[in-house]
Amino acid sequence: MATIFEKIINRQLPANIVYEDNEIIAIKDINPKAPVHLLIITKKVIPSIQEIKEEDFYLLGKMAKVAQKLAKEFKVDKGYRLLTNVGTPSGQTIFHLHFHLLGGRDLLSMG
Ligand code: AMP
């Protein structure tokens, strides 16, 4: 079954897209935990960072580059959190590789 993110990539579901290239898409999180809460997503369906195969590790570099660019654009480049969940115990709910970019408020209170 297609993940929610695949449906967004294929334009079967709406989303607030803030970046897109041939391999990465970034959207605003529908349930933001901070004033800036973006999701940086691989177009290729990889369940999590734990399942990345050798040939796809370069995508992590691309995602980091997109994070830098978006942090500047959203004016949080002086302080933000970039995180990815792995598996249900971590709180992962969508099994399609993505990084959360969180910023715009004091993140220390988030734990
Ligand atoms: P995770 O728990 O790490 O798998 O993160 C999934 C994130 O996707 C959560 O922060 C959700 O709020 C977010 N989310 C779920 N559905 C959508 C959607 N349709 N558009 C944007 N973000 C979504």
Side-chain angles (χ1 to χ4, degrees), residues 34-51:
V36 176
H37 187 171
L38 308 176
L39 301 171
I40 302 169
I41 304 162
T42 51
K43 287 192 169 174
K44 181 165 182 176
V45 184
I46 301 167
S48 81
I49 201 169
Q50 195 59 28
E51 277 89 15

mmCIF file with all atom_site columns, all heavy atoms in Angstrom, residues 34-51:
data_model
loop_
_atom_site.group_PDB
_atom_site.id
_atom_site.type_symbol
_atom_site.label_atom_id
_atom_site.label_alt_id
_atom_site.label_comp_id
_atom_site.label_asym_id
_atom_site.label_entity_id
_atom_site.label_seq_id
_atom_site.pdbx_PDB_ins_code
_atom_site.Cartn_x
_atom_site.Cartn_y
_atom_site.Cartn_z
_atom_site.occupancy
_atom_site.B_iso_or_equiv
_atom_site.pdbx_formal_charge
_atom_site.auth_seq_id
_atom_site.auth_comp_id
_atom_site.auth_asym_id
_atom_site.auth_atom_id
_atom_site.pdbx_PDB_model_num
ATOM 1   N N   . ALA A 1 34 ? 6.299  22.836 16.137 1.00 0.00 ? 34 ALA A N   1
ATOM 2   C CA  . ALA A 1 34 ? 7.076  24.072 16.310 1.00 0.00 ? 34 ALA A CA  1
ATOM 3   C C   . ALA A 1 34 ? 6.626  25.029 15.206 1.00 0.00 ? 34 ALA A C   1
ATOM 4   O O   . ALA A 1 34 ? 6.020  24.588 14.219 1.00 0.00 ? 34 ALA A O   1
ATOM 5   C CB  . ALA A 1 34 ? 8.564  23.764 16.189 1.00 0.00 ? 34 ALA A CB  1
ATOM 6   N N   . PRO A 1 35 ? 6.909  26.332 15.364 1.00 0.00 ? 35 PRO A N   1
ATOM 7   C CA  . PRO A 1 35 ? 6.493  27.294 14.330 1.00 0.00 ? 35 PRO A CA  1
ATOM 8   C C   . PRO A 1 35 ? 6.978  26.897 12.930 1.00 0.00 ? 35 PRO A C   1
ATOM 9   O O   . PRO A 1 35 ? 6.267  27.099 11.951 1.00 0.00 ? 35 PRO A O   1
ATOM 10  C CB  . PRO A 1 35 ? 7.121  28.606 14.796 1.00 0.00 ? 35 PRO A CB  1
ATOM 11  C CG  . PRO A 1 35 ? 7.234  28.454 16.279 1.00 0.00 ? 35 PRO A CG  1
ATOM 12  C CD  . PRO A 1 35 ? 7.524  26.999 16.525 1.00 0.00 ? 35 PRO A CD  1
ATOM 13  N N   . VAL A 1 36 ? 8.196  26.363 12.863 1.00 0.00 ? 36 VAL A N   1
ATOM 14  C CA  . VAL A 1 36 ? 8.666  25.802 11.589 1.00 0.00 ? 36 VAL A CA  1
ATOM 15  C C   . VAL A 1 36 ? 8.784  24.291 11.791 1.00 0.00 ? 36 VAL A C   1
ATOM 16  O O   . VAL A 1 36 ? 9.541  23.825 12.646 1.00 0.00 ? 36 VAL A O   1
ATOM 17  C CB  . VAL A 1 36 ? 10.039 26.394 11.181 1.00 0.00 ? 36 VAL A CB  1
ATOM 18  C CG1 . VAL A 1 36 ? 10.545 25.719 9.910  1.00 0.00 ? 36 VAL A CG1 1
ATOM 19  C CG2 . VAL A 1 36 ? 9.930  27.905 10.988 1.00 0.00 ? 36 VAL A CG2 1
ATOM 20  N N   . HIS A 1 37 ? 7.993  23.547 11.055 1.00 0.00 ? 37 HIS A N   1
ATOM 21  C CA  . HIS A 1 37 ? 8.065  22.078 11.134 1.00 0.00 ? 37 HIS A CA  1
ATOM 22  C C   . HIS A 1 37 ? 7.887  21.551 9.709  1.00 0.00 ? 37 HIS A C   1
ATOM 23  O O   . HIS A 1 37 ? 6.776  21.493 9.181  1.00 0.00 ? 37 HIS A O   1
ATOM 24  C CB  . HIS A 1 37 ? 6.985  21.515 12.064 1.00 0.00 ? 37 HIS A CB  1
ATOM 25  C CG  . HIS A 1 37 ? 7.137  20.033 12.309 1.00 0.00 ? 37 HIS A CG  1
ATOM 26  N ND1 . HIS A 1 37 ? 6.379  19.374 13.249 1.00 0.00 ? 37 HIS A ND1 1
ATOM 27  C CD2 . HIS A 1 37 ? 7.938  19.090 11.747 1.00 0.00 ? 37 HIS A CD2 1
ATOM 28  C CE1 . HIS A 1 37 ? 6.726  18.080 13.258 1.00 0.00 ? 37 HIS A CE1 1
ATOM 29  N NE2 . HIS A 1 37 ? 7.654  17.891 12.337 1.00 0.00 ? 37 HIS A NE2 1
ATOM 30  N N   . LEU A 1 38 ? 9.038  21.211 9.120  1.00 0.00 ? 38 LEU A N   1
ATOM 31  C CA  . LEU A 1 38 ? 9.036  20.735 7.736  1.00 0.00 ? 38 LEU A CA  1
ATOM 32  C C   . LEU A 1 38 ? 9.436  19.266 7.719  1.00 0.00 ? 38 LEU A C   1
ATOM 33  O O   . LEU A 1 38 ? 10.105 18.777 8.641  1.00 0.00 ? 38 LEU A O   1
ATOM 34  C CB  . LEU A 1 38 ? 10.045 21.550 6.911  1.00 0.00 ? 38 LEU A CB  1
ATOM 35  C CG  . LEU A 1 38 ? 9.907  23.074 6.988  1.00 0.00 ? 38 LEU A CG  1
ATOM 36  C CD1 . LEU A 1 38 ? 11.042 23.745 6.206  1.00 0.00 ? 38 LEU A CD1 1
ATOM 37  C CD2 . LEU A 1 38 ? 8.549  23.539 6.450  1.00 0.00 ? 38 LEU A CD2 1
ATOM 38  N N   . LEU A 1 39 ? 9.023  18.574 6.689  1.00 0.00 ? 39 LEU A N   1
ATOM 39  C CA  . LEU A 1 39 ? 9.408  17.179 6.496  1.00 0.00 ? 39 LEU A CA  1
ATOM 40  C C   . LEU A 1 39 ? 10.173 17.087 5.190  1.00 0.00 ? 39 LEU A C   1
ATOM 41  O O   . LEU A 1 39 ? 9.661  17.520 4.147  1.00 0.00 ? 39 LEU A O   1
ATOM 42  C CB  . LEU A 1 39 ? 8.155  16.287 6.434  1.00 0.00 ? 39 LEU A CB  1
ATOM 43  C CG  . LEU A 1 39 ? 7.254  16.331 7.671  1.00 0.00 ? 39 LEU A CG  1
ATOM 44  C CD1 . LEU A 1 39 ? 5.951  15.585 7.391  1.00 0.00 ? 39 LEU A CD1 1
ATOM 45  C CD2 . LEU A 1 39 ? 7.950  15.739 8.884  1.00 0.00 ? 39 LEU A CD2 1
ATOM 46  N N   . ILE A 1 40 ? 11.377 16.557 5.259  1.00 0.00 ? 40 ILE A N   1
ATOM 47  C CA  . ILE A 1 40 ? 12.228 16.385 4.076  1.00 0.00 ? 40 ILE A CA  1
ATOM 48  C C   . ILE A 1 40 ? 12.208 14.899 3.750  1.00 0.00 ? 40 ILE A C   1
ATOM 49  O O   . ILE A 1 40 ? 12.631 14.069 4.567  1.00 0.00 ? 40 ILE A O   1
ATOM 50  C CB  . ILE A 1 40 ? 13.643 16.909 4.355  1.00 0.00 ? 40 ILE A CB  1
ATOM 51  C CG1 . ILE A 1 40 ? 13.572 18.390 4.762  1.00 0.00 ? 40 ILE A CG1 1
ATOM 52  C CG2 . ILE A 1 40 ? 14.547 16.708 3.138  1.00 0.00 ? 40 ILE A CG2 1
ATOM 53  C CD1 . ILE A 1 40 ? 14.872 18.955 5.315  1.00 0.00 ? 40 ILE A CD1 1
ATOM 54  N N   . ILE A 1 41 ? 11.684 14.579 2.578  1.00 0.00 ? 41 ILE A N   1
ATOM 55  C CA  . ILE A 1 41 ? 11.285 13.192 2.270  1.00 0.00 ? 41 ILE A CA  1
ATOM 56  C C   . ILE A 1 41 ? 11.987 12.722 0.996  1.00 0.00 ? 41 ILE A C   1
ATOM 57  O O   . ILE A 1 41 ? 12.052 13.465 0.007  1.00 0.00 ? 41 ILE A O   1
ATOM 58  C CB  . ILE A 1 41 ? 9.748  13.162 2.045  1.00 0.00 ? 41 ILE A CB  1
ATOM 59  C CG1 . ILE A 1 41 ? 9.013  13.741 3.257  1.00 0.00 ? 41 ILE A CG1 1
ATOM 60  C CG2 . ILE A 1 41 ? 9.266  11.760 1.712  1.00 0.00 ? 41 ILE A CG2 1
ATOM 61  C CD1 . ILE A 1 41 ? 7.563  14.148 2.953  1.00 0.00 ? 41 ILE A CD1 1
ATOM 62  N N   . THR A 1 42 ? 12.453 11.474 1.005  1.00 0.00 ? 42 THR A N   1
ATOM 63  C CA  . THR A 1 42 ? 12.995 10.912 -0.246 1.00 0.00 ? 42 THR A CA  1
ATOM 64  C C   . THR A 1 42 ? 11.816 10.513 -1.135 1.00 0.00 ? 42 THR A C   1
ATOM 65  O O   . THR A 1 42 ? 10.803 10.011 -0.648 1.00 0.00 ? 42 THR A O   1
ATOM 66  C CB  . THR A 1 42 ? 13.839 9.651  0.022  1.00 0.00 ? 42 THR A CB  1
ATOM 67  O OG1 . THR A 1 42 ? 13.093 8.749  0.836  1.00 0.00 ? 42 THR A OG1 1
ATOM 68  C CG2 . THR A 1 42 ? 15.144 9.982  0.705  1.00 0.00 ? 42 THR A CG2 1
ATOM 69  N N   . LYS A 1 43 ? 11.969 10.703 -2.421 1.00 0.00 ? 43 LYS A N   1
ATOM 70  C CA  . LYS A 1 43 ? 10.908 10.226 -3.324 1.00 0.00 ? 43 LYS A CA  1
ATOM 71  C C   . LYS A 1 43 ? 10.947 8.702  -3.399 1.00 0.00 ? 43 LYS A C   1
ATOM 72  O O   . LYS A 1 43 ? 9.905  8.060  -3.499 1.00 0.00 ? 43 LYS A O   1
ATOM 73  C CB  . LYS A 1 43 ? 11.064 10.863 -4.708 1.00 0.00 ? 43 LYS A CB  1
ATOM 74  C CG  . LYS A 1 43 ? 10.659 12.329 -4.699 1.00 0.00 ? 43 LYS A CG  1
ATOM 75  C CD  . LYS A 1 43 ? 10.526 12.889 -6.089 1.00 0.00 ? 43 LYS A CD  1
ATOM 76  C CE  . LYS A 1 43 ? 9.870  14.264 -6.017 1.00 0.00 ? 43 LYS A CE  1
ATOM 77  N NZ  . LYS A 1 43 ? 9.843  14.933 -7.333 1.00 0.00 ? 43 LYS A NZ  1
ATOM 78  N N   . LYS A 1 44 ? 12.154 8.163  -3.324 1.00 0.00 ? 44 LYS A N   1
ATOM 79  C CA  . LYS A 1 44 ? 12.273 6.707  -3.316 1.00 0.00 ? 44 LYS A CA  1
ATOM 80  C C   . LYS A 1 44 ? 11.714 6.192  -1.987 1.00 0.00 ? 44 LYS A C   1
ATOM 81  O O   . LYS A 1 44 ? 11.995 6.771  -0.930 1.00 0.00 ? 44 LYS A O   1
ATOM 82  C CB  . LYS A 1 44 ? 13.747 6.310  -3.455 1.00 0.00 ? 44 LYS A CB  1
ATOM 83  C CG  . LYS A 1 44 ? 13.976 4.825  -3.485 1.00 0.00 ? 44 LYS A CG  1
ATOM 84  C CD  . LYS A 1 44 ? 15.375 4.495  -3.982 1.00 0.00 ? 44 LYS A CD  1
ATOM 85  C CE  . LYS A 1 44 ? 15.557 2.993  -4.060 1.00 0.00 ? 44 LYS A CE  1
ATOM 86  N NZ  . LYS A 1 44 ? 16.863 2.624  -4.615 1.00 0.00 ? 44 LYS A NZ  1
ATOM 87  N N   . VAL A 1 45 ? 10.932 5.147  -2.052 1.00 0.00 ? 45 VAL A N   1
ATOM 88  C CA  . VAL A 1 45 ? 10.357 4.622  -0.804 1.00 0.00 ? 45 VAL A CA  1
ATOM 89  C C   . VAL A 1 45 ? 11.371 3.723  -0.102 1.00 0.00 ? 45 VAL A C   1
ATOM 90  O O   . VAL A 1 45 ? 11.670 2.621  -0.545 1.00 0.00 ? 45 VAL A O   1
ATOM 91  C CB  . VAL A 1 45 ? 9.035  3.860  -1.056 1.00 0.00 ? 45 VAL A CB  1
ATOM 92  C CG1 . VAL A 1 45 ? 8.427  3.428  0.272  1.00 0.00 ? 45 VAL A CG1 1
ATOM 93  C CG2 . VAL A 1 45 ? 8.060  4.726  -1.824 1.00 0.00 ? 45 VAL A CG2 1
ATOM 94  N N   . ILE A 1 46 ? 11.905 4.266  0.997  1.00 0.00 ? 46 ILE A N   1
ATOM 95  C CA  . ILE A 1 46 ? 12.831 3.544  1.872  1.00 0.00 ? 46 ILE A CA  1
ATOM 96  C C   . ILE A 1 46 ? 12.161 3.644  3.250  1.00 0.00 ? 46 ILE A C   1
ATOM 97  O O   . ILE A 1 46 ? 11.826 4.751  3.678  1.00 0.00 ? 46 ILE A O   1
ATOM 98  C CB  . ILE A 1 46 ? 14.214 4.238  1.897  1.00 0.00 ? 46 ILE A CB  1
ATOM 99  C CG1 . ILE A 1 46 ? 14.807 4.313  0.477  1.00 0.00 ? 46 ILE A CG1 1
ATOM 100 C CG2 . ILE A 1 46 ? 15.152 3.539  2.864  1.00 0.00 ? 46 ILE A CG2 1
ATOM 101 C CD1 . ILE A 1 46 ? 16.007 5.245  0.337  1.00 0.00 ? 46 ILE A CD1 1
ATOM 102 N N   . PRO A 1 47 ? 11.899 2.542  3.932  1.00 0.00 ? 47 PRO A N   1
ATOM 103 C CA  . PRO A 1 47 ? 11.094 2.616  5.160  1.00 0.00 ? 47 PRO A CA  1
ATOM 104 C C   . PRO A 1 47 ? 11.695 3.501  6.255  1.00 0.00 ? 47 PRO A C   1
ATOM 105 O O   . PRO A 1 47 ? 10.956 4.212  6.943  1.00 0.00 ? 47 PRO A O   1
ATOM 106 C CB  . PRO A 1 47 ? 10.983 1.163  5.630  1.00 0.00 ? 47 PRO A CB  1
ATOM 107 C CG  . PRO A 1 47 ? 11.220 0.342  4.399  1.00 0.00 ? 47 PRO A CG  1
ATOM 108 C CD  . PRO A 1 47 ? 12.179 1.133  3.549  1.00 0.00 ? 47 PRO A CD  1
ATOM 109 N N   . SER A 1 48 ? 13.018 3.466  6.432  1.00 0.00 ? 48 SER A N   1
ATOM 110 C CA  . SER A 1 48 ? 13.648 4.327  7.443  1.00 0.00 ? 48 SER A CA  1
ATOM 111 C C   . SER A 1 48 ? 15.139 4.351  7.179  1.00 0.00 ? 48 SER A C   1
ATOM 112 O O   . SER A 1 48 ? 15.651 3.616  6.318  1.00 0.00 ? 48 SER A O   1
ATOM 113 C CB  . SER A 1 48 ? 13.395 3.797  8.863  1.00 0.00 ? 48 SER A CB  1
ATOM 114 O OG  . SER A 1 48 ? 14.307 2.757  9.166  1.00 0.00 ? 48 SER A OG  1
ATOM 115 N N   . ILE A 1 49 ? 15.850 5.149  7.958  1.00 0.00 ? 49 ILE A N   1
ATOM 116 C CA  . ILE A 1 49 ? 17.314 5.252  7.775  1.00 0.00 ? 49 ILE A CA  1
ATOM 117 C C   . ILE A 1 49 ? 17.979 3.899  8.025  1.00 0.00 ? 49 ILE A C   1
ATOM 118 O O   . ILE A 1 49 ? 19.042 3.607  7.490  1.00 0.00 ? 49 ILE A O   1
ATOM 119 C CB  . ILE A 1 49 ? 17.880 6.361  8.697  1.00 0.00 ? 49 ILE A CB  1
ATOM 120 C CG1 . ILE A 1 49 ? 19.232 6.864  8.199  1.00 0.00 ? 49 ILE A CG1 1
ATOM 121 C CG2 . ILE A 1 49 ? 17.968 5.903  10.137 1.00 0.00 ? 49 ILE A CG2 1
ATOM 122 C CD1 . ILE A 1 49 ? 19.705 8.132  8.900  1.00 0.00 ? 49 ILE A CD1 1
ATOM 123 N N   . GLN A 1 50 ? 17.337 3.050  8.800  1.00 0.00 ? 50 GLN A N   1
ATOM 124 C CA  . GLN A 1 50 ? 17.910 1.735  9.117  1.00 0.00 ? 50 GLN A CA  1
ATOM 125 C C   . GLN A 1 50 ? 17.904 0.795  7.901  1.00 0.00 ? 50 GLN A C   1
ATOM 126 O O   . GLN A 1 50 ? 18.651 -0.165 7.849  1.00 0.00 ? 50 GLN A O   1
ATOM 127 C CB  . GLN A 1 50 ? 17.128 1.120  10.289 1.00 0.00 ? 50 GLN A CB  1
ATOM 128 C CG  . GLN A 1 50 ? 17.810 -0.058 10.954 1.00 0.00 ? 50 GLN A CG  1
ATOM 129 C CD  . GLN A 1 50 ? 19.194 0.294  11.510 1.00 0.00 ? 50 GLN A CD  1
ATOM 130 O OE1 . GLN A 1 50 ? 19.469 1.429  11.875 1.00 0.00 ? 50 GLN A OE1 1
ATOM 131 N NE2 . GLN A 1 50 ? 20.075 -0.672 11.556 1.00 0.00 ? 50 GLN A NE2 1
ATOM 132 N N   . GLU A 1 51 ? 17.063 1.105  6.931  1.00 0.00 ? 51 GLU A N   1
ATOM 133 C CA  . GLU A 1 51 ? 16.943 0.229  5.750  1.00 0.00 ? 51 GLU A CA  1
ATOM 134 C C   . GLU A 1 51 ? 17.662 0.766  4.514  1.00 0.00 ? 51 GLU A C   1
ATOM 135 O O   . GLU A 1 51 ? 17.530 0.202  3.439  1.00 0.00 ? 51 GLU A O   1
ATOM 136 C CB  . GLU A 1 51 ? 15.469 0.034  5.386  1.00 0.00 ? 51 GLU A CB  1
ATOM 137 C CG  . GLU A 1 51 ? 14.757 -1.046 6.189  1.00 0.00 ? 51 GLU A CG  1
ATOM 138 C CD  . GLU A 1 51 ? 14.151 -0.521 7.467  1.00 0.00 ? 51 GLU A CD  1
ATOM 139 O OE1 . GLU A 1 51 ? 14.032 0.713  7.606  1.00 0.00 ? 51 GLU A OE1 1
ATOM 140 O OE2 . GLU A 1 51 ? 13.821 -1.346 8.338  1.00 0.00 ? 51 GLU A OE2 1
#
